[in-house]
Amino acid sequence: MLCEKIEGRLDEIEVSGKTIEYVDIEWHEAFKKIHRKKTDAGREIGIRLGDSILTRGLYEGDVLYKDDDLIIAVHTPACEIIKITIDPNHAFMVAKTCYEIGNRHAPLFYGEDAYSFITPYNEPMLQMLQKLHGVTVKKEIETLNFDKRISATVHHHQH
């Protein structure tokens, strides 16, 4: 089965009486145009999307296929993240923190307030952030919310 467009979102379409299968799309795969995957029911699918996916990405609940009986939707599994909290008394460190994360071309997401951010975990990033004055970091497991992304795109450079 080949899926070539996003048919909508699970919360926008009628799903009663239909089988819903989910395909896992990891956060780092969300901005790729071509995938070969299996749904949670074992169905093999190919995903071939247009260039717009490079900036939009695939979101939790995106519908890749639908007919009278079946819906195939995206599931974004939880991953290791770094939860960053900046002491309000050190508000100037917001710019420094965001700069350092951006300088490493890592995706950045808004946290719960103006002093908190989230980035996918890697050990060098965690160690670097731990050295910043007024910045507290915790490694956790969480699903990234692409609606809260700050980075324009979440993909790697290709040269």
Side-chain angles (χ1 to χ4, degrees):
M1 173 182 295
L2 183 62
C3 304
E4 296 185 293
K5 65 180 183 174
I6 298 170
E7 302 280 349
R9 307 227 350 124
L10 275 179
D11 57 3
E12 299 170 351
I13 64 172
E14 180 58 45
V15 297
S16 61
K18 297 182 182 185
T19 301
I20 301 174
E21 294 181 18
Y22 292 92
V23 60
D24 284 352
I25 302 289
E26 303 281 339
W27 72 266
H28 55 87
E29 299 174 315
F31 293 82
K32 293 181 180 177
K33 292 171 31 173
I34 299 173
H35 303 267
R36 185 177 183 141
K37 296 281 188 178
K38 282 190 178 184
T39 67
D40 57 351
R43 183 186 314 267
E44 285 196 34
I45 65 167
I47 303 169
R48 183 174 59 206
L49 301 168
D51 288 344
S52 64
I53 208 67
L54 298 173
T55 52
R56 181 202 183 273
L58 286 170
Y59 287 67
E60 175 79 23
D62 279 346
V63 175
L64 299 172
Y65 176 83
K66 68 177 180 174
D67 64 23
D68 293 339
D69 303 312
L70 175 67
I71 294 173
I72 297 177
V74 171
H75 170 64
T76 306
C79 63
E80 293 179 315
I81 57 123
I82 301 172
K83 195 169 270 190
I84 305 153
T85 306
I86 299 166
D87 185 323
N89 295 324
H90 295 84
F92 60 91
M93 291 304 287
V94 168
K96 172 75 171 160
T97 302
C98 293
Y99 169 80
E100 292 295 346
I101 292 168
N103 197 39
R104 287 164 173 76
H105 301 281
L108 183 61
F109 299 81
Y110 289 108
E112 298 165 7
D113 58 37
Y115 297 102
S116 64
F117 302 93
I118 295 171
T119 191
Y121 167 80
N122 68 57
E123 189 60 28
M125 181 75 75
L126 181 70
Q127 289 178 11
M128 181 273 301
L129 291 169
Q130 286 172 332
K131 294 176 184 174
L132 297 178
H133 185 69
V135 177
T136 305
V137 295
K138 287 194 305 189
K139 179 180 168 186
E140 295 186 4
I141 295 179
E142 197 172 287
T143 300
L144 291 171
N145 180 351
F146 287 108
D147 288 328
K148 291 186 162 192
R149 71 178 182 218
I150 297 171
S151 306
T153 57
V154 181
H155 64 84
H156 303 288
H157 289 284
Q158 296 183 11
H159 298 280

